[in-house]
Amino acid sequence: MNRTPDPSSLDFSESSLFTMRFIIAVLLVCGVGFSLYGRLPAALFSLGAAAVAIGARLWARRSLDGVTASLSADRPCLFPGETCPLRMTLDNRKYLPLIWLTVRFPLDPGGALVPEHPWETVELPEGAVRRPWYEKHISFLLWNQRLSYTGRLRAAHRGLLALEGLRLLSGDGLTLCVREVDVPLPRPMTLAVFPRLVPVSTRWFRRRSWELDTGAQGLQDDRTVIRNIRSYQPGDNARSLNFRLMARGQGAVVNVYQQISPRRAVFLLDGASFASLPAADFEAALEILCSLLVQLSREDVAVTLLTSRPAGRKEQLG
């Protein structure tokens, strides 16, 4: 997931007023005016301040040129309480070093995934509301240097986090002028947090589905295991005839196969039935259902989940 920032997209919204063009012009005019009236110290101060502001602005303008960023996740699917390592790689492909660099990406407003350390979260205005962002500060990314680090997100509860890009910020060493660039990811990444696992027992389900008595509905013959033979009776399946014994003149006999149960379970989740219930009831049902699916999978049972269209709640399964 690499993308070079667009040099034409310059954003200095987080810069100080000292580096504004109007302020720089005022300092230059004051410096020239003071020099004409013989105020040498004041002229030197004004011209020096203008030079610092111009230098900071030029440094920030070129700071993120040639900087690439990549993001990868080792575990895109988590359960609550688990952590997701995010590996970020930054590459400065130019001779201008970066004194500091800040990497940001938006977090889920619902708090499904939160940074492992609280100081890595910052709230930024987004329209009329404030949204949490992940923020990581990096010092000294030198010329032609590649730097990698791993950040961790902790899964708090069920939800999704879609990462479509990174936001890079850098500037001069005094942080007077800050350049901000949004770096889109070629392939967006989605991190999913499954419902919380709760203690469940599959014994009742297995007894009703697979441990039925002989001849009950749901069992089938394992044609690889012959348990016994018996005389043919009207209604027997012709495919069960033992033609080898019949060829020896022992009459019409059929094979009695070992009966087994197909180890498969199908669940149907009717989202519309939870439309009039509190959200906590829907979450509890998902936790039980997810726990059953995980437990049955560990017992080598093939499971299938069918969902109906939710009514009343959007993104019930998101």
Side-chain angles (χ1 to χ4, degrees):
M1 297 183 180
N2 295 321
R3 180 68 64 86
T4 303
D6 184 6
S8 62
S9 59
L10 301 180
D11 187 355
F12 301 106
S13 59
E14 297 193 16
S15 302
S16 63
L17 298 177
F18 179 69
T19 57
M20 293 181 59
R21 296 178 179 177
F22 174 76
I23 300 299
I24 294 176
V26 171
L27 290 174
L28 291 175
V29 171
C30 291
V32 174
F34 285 141
S35 63
L36 293 178
Y37 285 93
R39 304 291 182 88
L40 185 58
L44 292 177
F45 176 81
S46 298
L47 294 177
V52 171
I54 293 174
R57 190 174 182 89
L58 292 177
W59 189 297
R61 185 180 183 88
R62 298 299 180 185
S63 59
L64 293 178
D65 291 350
V67 177
T68 60
S70 63
L71 179 65
S72 61
D74 296 337
R75 301 182 58 190
C77 300
L78 306 167
F79 287 99
E82 297 180 342
T83 58
C84 175
L86 289 178
R87 183 175 180 82
M88 302 183 188
T89 302
L90 304 170
D91 194 1
N92 184 18
R93 301 178 180 178
K94 65 179 184 303
Y95 289 99
L96 180 66
L98 300 182
I99 307 301
W100 61 272
L101 178 65
T102 298
V103 181
R104 293 175 179 170
F105 59 79
L107 297 173
D108 178 30
L113 285 161
V114 296
E116 188 177 22
H117 304 293
W119 57 81
E120 294 178 338
T121 304
V122 60
E123 289 190 356
L124 300 177
E126 192 173 287
V129 298
R130 300 181 66 87
R131 181 174 182 177
W133 286 65
Y134 174 87
E135 183 178 78
K136 179 67 175 180
H137 300 286
I138 301 173
S139 301
F140 296 105
L141 183 60
L142 302 181
W143 50 88
N144 296 321
Q145 181 186 12
R146 173 174 294 180
L147 177 66
S148 298
Y149 76 93
T150 301
R152 297 182 180 275
L153 297 180
R154 180 175 54 85
H157 57 79
R158 182 182 66 92
L160 295 175
L161 175 60
L163 299 178
E164 299 181 353
L166 300 176
R167 179 170 296 179
L168 304 181
L169 295 90
S170 186
D172 63 288
L174 301 177
T175 65
L176 297 176
C177 189
V178 179
R179 181 184 174 186
E180 177 180 318
V181 174
D182 288 328
V183 183
L185 298 176
R187 284 184 292 177
M189 178 189 306
T190 300
L191 304 178
V193 182
F194 296 133
R196 189 183 311 274
L197 295 181
V198 296
V200 294
S201 175
T202 60
R203 182 180 179 184
W204 63 271
F205 187 87
R206 293 170 60 85
R207 289 186 60 182
R208 293 195 176 188
S209 299
W210 302 309
E211 298 178 5
L212 300 176
D213 295 334
T214 303
Q217 185 179 3
L219 296 181
Q220 63 184 19
D221 294 335
D222 183 4
R223 296 187 175 274
T224 63
V225 180
I226 300 177
R227 190 178 62 181
N228 201 352
I229 59 174
R230 61 173 175 82
S231 300
Y232 175 82
Q233 297 179 1
D236 287 342
N237 193 339
R239 292 181 299 177
S240 300
L241 289 172
N242 194 321
F243 295 100
R244 180 177 301 178
L245 295 181
M246 293 174 59
R248 295 178 181 177
Q250 298 186 13
V253 293
V254 294
N255 297 325
V256 179
Y257 298 102
Q258 177 69 37
Q259 288 188 319
I260 61 174
S261 57
R263 301 181 65 83
R264 176 178 297 275
V266 179
F267 293 88
L268 172 62
L269 178 62
D270 184 12
S273 62
F274 291 90
S276 59
L277 299 178
D281 294 345
F282 182 71
E283 293 297 331
L286 286 180
E287 292 176 358
I288 296 175
L289 176 59
C290 184
S291 302
L292 283 173
L293 295 178
V294 172
Q295 184 64 27
L296 290 174
S297 298
R298 292 173 179 173
E299 298 174 0
D300 297 328
V301 178
V303 294
T304 303
L305 176 61
L306 304 177
T307 60
S308 63
R309 182 182 299 274
R313 288 199 191 104
K314 297 181 179 180
E315 302 178 356
Q316 285 200 56
L317 299 179

